[in-house]
PDB file of all heavy atoms in Angstrom:
ATOM      1  N   SER O 667      -2.565  42.606  -6.138  1.00  0.00           N
ATOM      2  CA  SER O 667      -3.506  42.786  -5.042  1.00  0.00           C
ATOM      3  C   SER O 667      -3.402  41.652  -4.007  1.00  0.00           C
ATOM      4  O   SER O 667      -3.120  40.470  -4.336  1.00  0.00           O
ATOM      5  CB  SER O 667      -4.858  42.997  -5.488  1.00  0.00           C
ATOM      6  OG  SER O 667      -5.473  41.685  -5.841  1.00  0.00           O
ATOM      7  N   ARG O 668      -3.619  41.969  -2.705  1.00  0.00           N
ATOM      8  CA  ARG O 668      -3.549  40.997  -1.636  1.00  0.00           C
ATOM      9  C   ARG O 668      -4.710  39.851  -1.951  1.00  0.00           C
ATOM     10  O   ARG O 668      -4.376  38.680  -1.767  1.00  0.00           O
ATOM     11  CB  ARG O 668      -3.803  41.638  -0.311  1.00  0.00           C
ATOM     12  CG  ARG O 668      -3.750  40.669   0.818  1.00  0.00           C
ATOM     13  CD  ARG O 668      -3.954  41.370   2.098  1.00  0.00           C
ATOM     14  NE  ARG O 668      -5.380  41.891   2.156  1.00  0.00           N
ATOM     15  CZ  ARG O 668      -6.023  42.224   3.252  1.00  0.00           C
ATOM     16  NH1 ARG O 668      -5.412  42.095   4.428  1.00  0.00           N
ATOM     17  NH2 ARG O 668      -7.186  42.602   3.155  1.00  0.00           N
ATOM     18  N   THR O 669      -5.788  40.307  -2.414  1.00  0.00           N
ATOM     19  CA  THR O 669      -6.847  39.332  -2.721  1.00  0.00           C
ATOM     20  C   THR O 669      -6.462  38.278  -3.805  1.00  0.00           C
ATOM     21  O   THR O 669      -6.578  37.101  -3.579  1.00  0.00           O
ATOM     22  CB  THR O 669      -8.117  40.055  -3.152  1.00  0.00           C
ATOM     23  OG1 THR O 669      -8.487  41.001  -2.171  1.00  0.00           O
ATOM     24  CG2 THR O 669      -9.252  39.023  -3.510  1.00  0.00           C
ATOM     25  N   THR O 670      -5.721  38.794  -4.866  1.00  0.00           N
ATOM     26  CA  THR O 670      -5.296  37.905  -5.862  1.00  0.00           C
ATOM     27  C   THR O 670      -4.173  36.963  -5.382  1.00  0.00           C
ATOM     28  O   THR O 670      -4.238  35.749  -5.608  1.00  0.00           O
ATOM     29  CB  THR O 670      -4.735  38.696  -7.079  1.00  0.00           C
ATOM     30  OG1 THR O 670      -5.751  39.469  -7.556  1.00  0.00           O
ATOM     31  CG2 THR O 670      -4.202  37.798  -8.165  1.00  0.00           C
ATOM     32  N   ILE O 671      -3.255  37.377  -4.602  1.00  0.00           N
ATOM     33  CA  ILE O 671      -2.156  36.654  -4.050  1.00  0.00           C
ATOM     34  C   ILE O 671      -2.754  35.471  -3.196  1.00  0.00           C
ATOM     35  O   ILE O 671      -2.387  34.326  -3.335  1.00  0.00           O
ATOM     36  CB  ILE O 671      -1.152  37.403  -3.210  1.00  0.00           C
ATOM     37  CG1 ILE O 671      -0.399  38.339  -4.145  1.00  0.00           C
ATOM     38  CG2 ILE O 671      -0.177  36.485  -2.448  1.00  0.00           C
ATOM     39  CD1 ILE O 671       0.599  37.654  -5.152  1.00  0.00           C
ATOM     40  N   TYR O 672      -3.737  35.851  -2.302  1.00  0.00           N
ATOM     41  CA  TYR O 672      -4.283  34.830  -1.411  1.00  0.00           C
ATOM     42  C   TYR O 672      -5.210  33.841  -2.152  1.00  0.00           C
ATOM     43  O   TYR O 672      -5.330  32.769  -1.819  1.00  0.00           O
ATOM     44  CB  TYR O 672      -4.956  35.485  -0.242  1.00  0.00           C
ATOM     45  CG  TYR O 672      -3.901  35.914   0.760  1.00  0.00           C
ATOM     46  CD1 TYR O 672      -3.469  37.151   0.816  1.00  0.00           C
ATOM     47  CD2 TYR O 672      -3.376  35.031   1.769  1.00  0.00           C
ATOM     48  CE1 TYR O 672      -2.493  37.609   1.750  1.00  0.00           C
ATOM     49  CE2 TYR O 672      -2.490  35.474   2.649  1.00  0.00           C
ATOM     50  CZ  TYR O 672      -1.981  36.647   2.615  1.00  0.00           C
ATOM     51  OH  TYR O 672      -1.032  37.056   3.562  1.00  0.00           O
ATOM     52  N   ALA O 673      -5.804  34.313  -3.220  1.00  0.00           N
ATOM     53  CA  ALA O 673      -6.611  33.365  -4.079  1.00  0.00           C
ATOM     54  C   ALA O 673      -5.735  32.439  -4.850  1.00  0.00           C
ATOM     55  O   ALA O 673      -6.102  31.214  -4.810  1.00  0.00           O
ATOM     56  CB  ALA O 673      -7.431  34.196  -5.081  1.00  0.00           C
ATOM     57  N   ILE O 674      -4.635  32.784  -5.245  1.00  0.00           N
ATOM     58  CA  ILE O 674      -3.756  31.956  -5.968  1.00  0.00           C
ATOM     59  C   ILE O 674      -3.100  30.993  -4.983  1.00  0.00           C
ATOM     60  O   ILE O 674      -3.048  29.725  -5.276  1.00  0.00           O
ATOM     61  CB  ILE O 674      -2.549  32.785  -6.654  1.00  0.00           C
ATOM     62  CG1 ILE O 674      -3.147  33.502  -7.846  1.00  0.00           C
ATOM     63  CG2 ILE O 674      -1.418  31.808  -7.141  1.00  0.00           C
ATOM     64  CD1 ILE O 674      -2.198  34.556  -8.486  1.00  0.00           C
ATOM     65  N   THR O 675      -2.592  31.440  -3.875  1.00  0.00           N
ATOM     66  CA  THR O 675      -1.933  30.507  -2.921  1.00  0.00           C
ATOM     67  C   THR O 675      -3.013  29.637  -2.252  1.00  0.00           C
ATOM     68  O   THR O 675      -2.636  28.564  -1.746  1.00  0.00           O
ATOM     69  CB  THR O 675      -1.129  31.302  -1.811  1.00  0.00           C
ATOM     70  OG1 THR O 675      -2.008  32.130  -1.127  1.00  0.00           O
ATOM     71  CG2 THR O 675       0.051  31.985  -2.472  1.00  0.00           C
ATOM     72  N   GLY O 676      -4.309  30.001  -2.231  1.00  0.00           N
ATOM     73  CA  GLY O 676      -5.280  29.103  -1.620  1.00  0.00           C
ATOM     74  C   GLY O 676      -5.901  28.271  -2.702  1.00  0.00           C
ATOM     75  O   GLY O 676      -6.810  27.493  -2.306  1.00  0.00           O
ATOM     76  N   GLY O 677      -5.430  28.305  -3.899  1.00  0.00           N
ATOM     77  CA  GLY O 677      -6.016  27.349  -5.005  1.00  0.00           C
ATOM     78  C   GLY O 677      -7.361  27.801  -5.407  1.00  0.00           C
ATOM     79  O   GLY O 677      -8.059  26.972  -5.964  1.00  0.00           O
ATOM     80  N   LYS O 678      -7.717  28.998  -5.244  1.00  0.00           N
ATOM     81  CA  LYS O 678      -8.976  29.490  -5.625  1.00  0.00           C
ATOM     82  C   LYS O 678      -9.086  30.308  -6.891  1.00  0.00           C
ATOM     83  O   LYS O 678     -10.056  30.957  -7.220  1.00  0.00           O
ATOM     84  CB  LYS O 678      -9.686  30.223  -4.483  1.00  0.00           C
ATOM     85  CG  LYS O 678      -9.899  29.362  -3.283  1.00  0.00           C
ATOM     86  CD  LYS O 678     -10.532  30.050  -2.110  1.00  0.00           C
ATOM     87  CE  LYS O 678     -10.897  29.163  -1.109  1.00  0.00           C
ATOM     88  NZ  LYS O 678     -10.406  29.281   0.174  1.00  0.00           N
ATOM     89  N   MET O 679      -7.947  30.359  -7.647  1.00  0.00           N
ATOM     90  CA  MET O 679      -7.924  31.190  -8.830  1.00  0.00           C
ATOM     91  C   MET O 679      -7.537  30.315 -10.051  1.00  0.00           C
ATOM     92  O   MET O 679      -6.496  29.590  -9.997  1.00  0.00           O
ATOM     93  CB  MET O 679      -6.905  32.327  -8.712  1.00  0.00           C
ATOM     94  CG  MET O 679      -6.853  33.298  -9.896  1.00  0.00           C
ATOM     95  SD  MET O 679      -5.829  34.657  -9.476  1.00  0.00           S
ATOM     96  CE  MET O 679      -6.587  35.839 -10.416  1.00  0.00           C
ATOM     97  N   ASP O 680      -8.411  30.310 -11.044  1.00  0.00           N
ATOM     98  CA  ASP O 680      -8.164  29.373 -12.122  1.00  0.00           C
ATOM     99  C   ASP O 680      -7.424  29.980 -13.314  1.00  0.00           C
ATOM    100  O   ASP O 680      -6.899  29.318 -14.063  1.00  0.00           O
ATOM    101  CB  ASP O 680      -9.516  28.825 -12.630  1.00  0.00           C
ATOM    102  CG  ASP O 680     -10.265  27.876 -11.611  1.00  0.00           C
ATOM    103  OD1 ASP O 680      -9.455  27.224 -10.882  1.00  0.00           O
ATOM    104  OD2 ASP O 680     -11.391  27.936 -11.624  1.00  0.00           O
ATOM    105  N   GLY O 681      -7.520  31.315 -13.428  1.00  0.00           N
ATOM    106  CA  GLY O 681      -6.820  31.896 -14.624  1.00  0.00           C
ATOM    107  C   GLY O 681      -6.168  33.289 -14.173  1.00  0.00           C
ATOM    108  O   GLY O 681      -6.300  33.717 -13.052  1.00  0.00           O
ATOM    109  N   LEU O 682      -5.433  33.759 -15.077  1.00  0.00           N
ATOM    110  CA  LEU O 682      -4.850  35.114 -14.851  1.00  0.00           C
ATOM    111  C   LEU O 682      -4.275  35.614 -16.151  1.00  0.00           C
ATOM    112  O   LEU O 682      -4.201  34.978 -17.201  1.00  0.00           O
ATOM    113  CB  LEU O 682      -3.662  34.953 -13.852  1.00  0.00           C
ATOM    114  CG  LEU O 682      -2.322  34.457 -14.464  1.00  0.00           C
ATOM    115  CD1 LEU O 682      -1.190  34.941 -13.532  1.00  0.00           C
ATOM    116  CD2 LEU O 682      -2.290  32.999 -14.438  1.00  0.00           C
ATOM    117  N   HIS O 683      -3.882  36.948 -16.147  1.00  0.00           N
ATOM    118  CA  HIS O 683      -3.345  37.591 -17.180  1.00  0.00           C
ATOM    119  C   HIS O 683      -1.830  37.310 -17.233  1.00  0.00           C
ATOM    120  O   HIS O 683      -1.237  37.146 -16.168  1.00  0.00           O
ATOM    121  CB  HIS O 683      -3.586  39.061 -17.194  1.00  0.00           C
ATOM    122  CG  HIS O 683      -5.009  39.369 -17.320  1.00  0.00           C
ATOM    123  ND1 HIS O 683      -5.687  39.505 -18.487  1.00  0.00           N
ATOM    124  CD2 HIS O 683      -5.957  39.602 -16.381  1.00  0.00           C
ATOM    125  CE1 HIS O 683      -6.902  39.756 -18.362  1.00  0.00           C
ATOM    126  NE2 HIS O 683      -7.170  39.810 -17.112  1.00  0.00           N
ATOM    127  N   PHE O 684      -1.148  37.462 -18.390  1.00  0.00           N
ATOM    128  CA  PHE O 684       0.277  37.254 -18.468  1.00  0.00           C
ATOM    129  C   PHE O 684       0.994  38.380 -17.635  1.00  0.00           C
ATOM    130  O   PHE O 684       2.046  38.071 -17.023  1.00  0.00           O
ATOM    131  CB  PHE O 684       0.763  37.303 -19.922  1.00  0.00           C
ATOM    132  CG  PHE O 684       0.516  36.110 -20.676  1.00  0.00           C
ATOM    133  CD1 PHE O 684      -0.307  36.095 -21.767  1.00  0.00           C
ATOM    134  CD2 PHE O 684       1.113  34.868 -20.271  1.00  0.00           C
ATOM    135  CE1 PHE O 684      -0.596  34.966 -22.486  1.00  0.00           C
ATOM    136  CE2 PHE O 684       0.811  33.718 -21.040  1.00  0.00           C
ATOM    137  CZ  PHE O 684       0.043  33.721 -22.096  1.00  0.00           C
ATOM    138  N   ASP O 685       0.382  39.610 -17.560  1.00  0.00           N
ATOM    139  CA  ASP O 685       1.058  40.667 -16.696  1.00  0.00           C
ATOM    140  C   ASP O 685       1.065  40.167 -15.255  1.00  0.00           C
ATOM    141  O   ASP O 685       2.091  40.493 -14.581  1.00  0.00           O
ATOM    142  CB  ASP O 685       0.305  41.820 -16.892  1.00  0.00           C
ATOM    143  CG  ASP O 685       0.821  43.024 -16.080  1.00  0.00           C
ATOM    144  OD1 ASP O 685       1.997  43.327 -16.292  1.00  0.00           O
ATOM    145  OD2 ASP O 685       0.091  43.633 -15.298  1.00  0.00           O
ATOM    146  N   THR O 686       0.051  39.531 -14.828  1.00  0.00           N
ATOM    147  CA  THR O 686      -0.009  39.001 -13.362  1.00  0.00           C
ATOM    148  C   THR O 686       1.014  38.037 -13.205  1.00  0.00           C
ATOM    149  O   THR O 686       1.788  38.000 -12.168  1.00  0.00           O
ATOM    150  CB  THR O 686      -1.389  38.540 -13.053  1.00  0.00           C
ATOM    151  OG1 THR O 686      -2.338  39.547 -13.300  1.00  0.00           O
ATOM    152  CG2 THR O 686      -1.487  38.100 -11.617  1.00  0.00           C
ATOM    153  N   LEU O 687       1.155  37.077 -14.178  1.00  0.00           N
ATOM    154  CA  LEU O 687       2.203  35.994 -14.039  1.00  0.00           C
ATOM    155  C   LEU O 687       3.587  36.629 -14.009  1.00  0.00           C
ATOM    156  O   LEU O 687       4.414  36.225 -13.228  1.00  0.00           O
ATOM    157  CB  LEU O 687       2.091  35.040 -15.200  1.00  0.00           C
ATOM    158  CG  LEU O 687       3.035  33.858 -15.209  1.00  0.00           C
ATOM    159  CD1 LEU O 687       2.941  32.997 -13.924  1.00  0.00           C
ATOM    160  CD2 LEU O 687       2.812  32.939 -16.460  1.00  0.00           C
ATOM    161  N   SER O 688       3.809  37.602 -14.817  1.00  0.00           N
ATOM    162  CA  SER O 688       5.117  38.259 -14.893  1.00  0.00           C
ATOM    163  C   SER O 688       5.400  38.927 -13.510  1.00  0.00           C
ATOM    164  O   SER O 688       6.550  38.843 -12.959  1.00  0.00           O
ATOM    165  CB  SER O 688       5.132  39.288 -15.929  1.00  0.00           C
ATOM    166  OG  SER O 688       6.332  40.006 -16.053  1.00  0.00           O
ATOM    167  N   LYS O 689       4.405  39.638 -12.876  1.00  0.00           N
ATOM    168  CA  LYS O 689       4.637  40.203 -11.625  1.00  0.00           C
ATOM    169  C   LYS O 689       4.828  39.151 -10.538  1.00  0.00           C
ATOM    170  O   LYS O 689       5.637  39.389  -9.591  1.00  0.00           O
ATOM    171  CB  LYS O 689       3.394  41.007 -11.290  1.00  0.00           C
ATOM    172  CG  LYS O 689       3.323  42.423 -12.052  1.00  0.00           C
ATOM    173  CD  LYS O 689       2.042  43.214 -11.722  1.00  0.00           C
ATOM    174  CE  LYS O 689       1.986  44.371 -12.516  1.00  0.00           C
ATOM    175  NZ  LYS O 689       0.738  45.178 -12.221  1.00  0.00           N
ATOM    176  N   LEU O 690       4.188  38.006 -10.559  1.00  0.00           N
ATOM    177  CA  LEU O 690       4.298  36.941  -9.592  1.00  0.00           C
ATOM    178  C   LEU O 690       5.748  36.484  -9.672  1.00  0.00           C
ATOM    179  O   LEU O 690       6.373  36.318  -8.643  1.00  0.00           O
ATOM    180  CB  LEU O 690       3.412  35.803  -9.918  1.00  0.00           C
ATOM    181  CG  LEU O 690       2.032  35.861  -9.331  1.00  0.00           C
ATOM    182  CD1 LEU O 690       1.201  34.721  -9.983  1.00  0.00           C
ATOM    183  CD2 LEU O 690       2.042  35.696  -7.857  1.00  0.00           C
ATOM    184  N   ILE O 691       6.235  36.181 -10.893  1.00  0.00           N
ATOM    185  CA  ILE O 691       7.601  35.753 -11.100  1.00  0.00           C
ATOM    186  C   ILE O 691       8.570  36.661 -10.580  1.00  0.00           C
ATOM    187  O   ILE O 691       9.502  36.418  -9.805  1.00  0.00           O
ATOM    188  CB  ILE O 691       7.914  35.337 -12.494  1.00  0.00           C
ATOM    189  CG1 ILE O 691       7.029  33.994 -12.777  1.00  0.00           C
ATOM    190  CG2 ILE O 691       9.325  35.061 -12.805  1.00  0.00           C
ATOM    191  CD1 ILE O 691       7.114  33.566 -14.160  1.00  0.00           C
ATOM    192  N   ALA O 692       8.461  38.016 -10.884  1.00  0.00           N
ATOM    193  CA  ALA O 692       9.367  39.063 -10.493  1.00  0.00           C
ATOM    194  C   ALA O 692       9.326  39.184  -8.914  1.00  0.00           C
ATOM    195  O   ALA O 692      10.397  39.282  -8.264  1.00  0.00           O
ATOM    196  CB  ALA O 692       8.992  40.388 -11.118  1.00  0.00           C
ATOM    197  N   GLY O 693       8.179  39.056  -8.326  1.00  0.00           N
ATOM    198  CA  GLY O 693       7.963  39.151  -6.843  1.00  0.00           C
ATOM    199  C   GLY O 693       8.717  37.968  -6.160  1.00  0.00           C
ATOM    200  O   GLY O 693       9.450  38.089  -5.142  1.00  0.00           O
ATOM    201  N   LEU O 694       8.549  36.784  -6.739  1.00  0.00           N
ATOM    202  CA  LEU O 694       9.238  35.629  -6.211  1.00  0.00           C
ATOM    203  C   LEU O 694      10.723  35.710  -6.375  1.00  0.00           C
ATOM    204  O   LEU O 694      11.490  35.335  -5.338  1.00  0.00           O
ATOM    205  CB  LEU O 694       8.758  34.332  -6.844  1.00  0.00           C
ATOM    206  CG  LEU O 694       7.320  33.862  -6.544  1.00  0.00           C
ATOM    207  CD1 LEU O 694       6.901  32.803  -7.408  1.00  0.00           C
ATOM    208  CD2 LEU O 694       7.230  33.414  -5.077  1.00  0.00           C
ATOM    209  N   GLU O 695      11.199  36.158  -7.434  1.00  0.00           N
ATOM    210  CA  GLU O 695      12.636  36.444  -7.608  1.00  0.00           C
ATOM    211  C   GLU O 695      13.171  37.399  -6.606  1.00  0.00           C
ATOM    212  O   GLU O 695      14.255  37.223  -6.068  1.00  0.00           O
ATOM    213  CB  GLU O 695      12.948  36.784  -9.026  1.00  0.00           C
ATOM    214  CG  GLU O 695      12.752  35.617 -10.089  1.00  0.00           C
ATOM    215  CD  GLU O 695      13.031  36.043 -11.462  1.00  0.00           C
ATOM    216  OE1 GLU O 695      13.147  37.273 -11.906  1.00  0.00           O
ATOM    217  OE2 GLU O 695      13.253  35.042 -12.235  1.00  0.00           O
ATOM    218  N   SER O 696      12.358  38.410  -6.366  1.00  0.00           N
ATOM    219  CA  SER O 696      12.809  39.494  -5.436  1.00  0.00           C
ATOM    220  C   SER O 696      12.913  38.896  -4.039  1.00  0.00           C
ATOM    221  O   SER O 696      13.832  39.291  -3.357  1.00  0.00           O
ATOM    222  CB  SER O 696      11.764  40.613  -5.476  1.00  0.00           C
ATOM    223  OG  SER O 696      11.979  41.592  -4.458  1.00  0.00           O
ATOM    224  N   ILE O 697      11.949  38.111  -3.594  1.00  0.00           N
ATOM    225  CA  ILE O 697      12.053  37.614  -2.161  1.00  0.00           C
ATOM    226  C   ILE O 697      12.915  36.420  -2.069  1.00  0.00           C
ATOM    227  O   ILE O 697      13.349  36.207  -0.878  1.00  0.00           O
ATOM    228  CB  ILE O 697      10.686  37.407  -1.648  1.00  0.00           C
ATOM    229  CG1 ILE O 697       9.889  36.314  -2.337  1.00  0.00           C
ATOM    230  CG2 ILE O 697       9.862  38.715  -1.583  1.00  0.00           C
ATOM    231  CD1 ILE O 697       8.534  35.946  -1.731  1.00  0.00           C
ATOM    232  N   THR O 698      13.201  35.748  -3.082  1.00  0.00           N
ATOM    233  CA  THR O 698      14.101  34.541  -2.874  1.00  0.00           C
ATOM    234  C   THR O 698      15.491  34.709  -3.421  1.00  0.00           C
ATOM    235  O   THR O 698      16.321  33.957  -2.990  1.00  0.00           O
ATOM    236  CB  THR O 698      13.491  33.260  -3.621  1.00  0.00           C
ATOM    237  OG1 THR O 698      13.536  33.526  -5.043  1.00  0.00           O
ATOM    238  CG2 THR O 698      12.146  32.992  -3.156  1.00  0.00           C
ATOM    239  N   GLY O 699      15.721  35.751  -4.250  1.00  0.00           N
ATOM    240  CA  GLY O 699      17.002  35.905  -4.838  1.00  0.00           C
ATOM    241  C   GLY O 699      17.388  34.896  -5.886  1.00  0.00           C
ATOM    242  O   GLY O 699      18.519  34.734  -6.233  1.00  0.00           O
ATOM    243  N   GLN O 700      16.396  34.145  -6.289  1.00  0.00           N
ATOM    244  CA  GLN O 700      16.626  32.966  -7.336  1.00  0.00           C
ATOM    245  C   GLN O 700      15.823  33.197  -8.621  1.00  0.00           C
ATOM    246  O   GLN O 700      14.835  33.953  -8.517  1.00  0.00           O
ATOM    247  CB  GLN O 700      16.193  31.686  -6.703  1.00  0.00           C
ATOM    248  CG  GLN O 700      17.054  31.355  -5.516  1.00  0.00           C
ATOM    249  CD  GLN O 700      16.718  29.952  -4.961  1.00  0.00           C
ATOM    250  OE1 GLN O 700      15.800  29.313  -5.489  1.00  0.00           O
ATOM    251  NE2 GLN O 700      17.274  29.544  -3.859  1.00  0.00           N
ATOM    252  N   THR O 701      16.281  32.776  -9.710  1.00  0.00           N
ATOM    253  CA  THR O 701      15.624  32.797 -10.940  1.00  0.00           C
ATOM    254  C   THR O 701      14.387  31.886 -10.803  1.00  0.00           C
ATOM    255  O   THR O 701      14.474  30.766 -10.362  1.00  0.00           O
ATOM    256  CB  THR O 701      16.541  32.336 -12.123  1.00  0.00           C
ATOM    257  OG1 THR O 701      17.635  33.269 -12.195  1.00  0.00           O
ATOM    258  CG2 THR O 701      15.754  32.378 -13.403  1.00  0.00           C
ATOM    259  N   VAL O 702      13.244  32.337 -11.272  1.00  0.00           N
ATOM    260  CA  VAL O 702      11.997  31.542 -11.240  1.00  0.00           C
ATOM    261  C   VAL O 702      11.504  31.316 -12.614  1.00  0.00           C
ATOM    262  O   VAL O 702      11.459  32.299 -13.398  1.00  0.00           O
ATOM    263  CB  VAL O 702      10.966  32.231 -10.320  1.00  0.00           C
ATOM    264  CG1 VAL O 702       9.644  31.434 -10.376  1.00  0.00           C
ATOM    265  CG2 VAL O 702      11.396  32.485  -8.906  1.00  0.00           C
ATOM    266  N   GLU O 703      11.234  30.104 -12.951  1.00  0.00           N
ATOM    267  CA  GLU O 703      10.695  29.827 -14.274  1.00  0.00           C
ATOM    268  C   GLU O 703       9.241  29.453 -14.108  1.00  0.00           C
ATOM    269  O   GLU O 703       8.693  29.101 -13.040  1.00  0.00           O
ATOM    270  CB  GLU O 703      11.332  28.501 -14.821  1.00  0.00           C
ATOM    271  CG  GLU O 703      12.821  28.576 -14.931  1.00  0.00           C
ATOM    272  CD  GLU O 703      13.363  29.724 -15.984  1.00  0.00           C
ATOM    273  OE1 GLU O 703      12.551  30.041 -16.851  1.00  0.00           O
ATOM    274  OE2 GLU O 703      14.439  30.247 -15.914  1.00  0.00           O
ATOM    275  N   VAL O 704       8.449  29.617 -15.173  1.00  0.00           N
ATOM    276  CA  VAL O 704       7.018  29.368 -15.277  1.00  0.00           C
ATOM    277  C   VAL O 704       6.787  27.989 -14.611  1.00  0.00           C
ATOM    278  O   VAL O 704       5.816  27.829 -13.853  1.00  0.00           O
ATOM    279  CB  VAL O 704       6.459  29.506 -16.589  1.00  0.00           C
ATOM    280  CG1 VAL O 704       4.989  29.133 -16.645  1.00  0.00           C
ATOM    281  CG2 VAL O 704       6.573  30.940 -17.121  1.00  0.00           C
ATOM    282  N   GLY O 705       7.551  26.918 -14.943  1.00  0.00           N
ATOM    283  CA  GLY O 705       7.301  25.612 -14.439  1.00  0.00           C
ATOM    284  C   GLY O 705       7.492  25.488 -12.940  1.00  0.00           C
ATOM    285  O   GLY O 705       7.102  24.588 -12.332  1.00  0.00           O
TER     286      GLY O 705
END
């Protein structure tokens, strides 16, 4: 969700589900073309 993305990028989200983290990483890999690690 847009709300979740903007909360994360704005530093206003303290926790998340592993599914969300997985989607974040997949989305970043999609837009950058690079492998993204949790770190």
Side-chain angles (χ1 to χ4, degrees):
S667 77
R668 184 178 65 158
T669 303
T670 299
I671 292 295
Y672 282 92
I674 291 170
T675 57
K678 295 181 170 121
M679 185 170 210
D680 293 331
L682 81 156
H683 295 275
F684 284 119
D685 182 56
T686 304
L687 180 59
S688 180
K689 288 179 181 179
L690 274 171
I691 289 173
L694 288 168
E695 289 179 342
S696 174
I697 63 175
T698 65
Q700 297 182 3
T701 300
V702 178
E703 302 295 337
V704 173

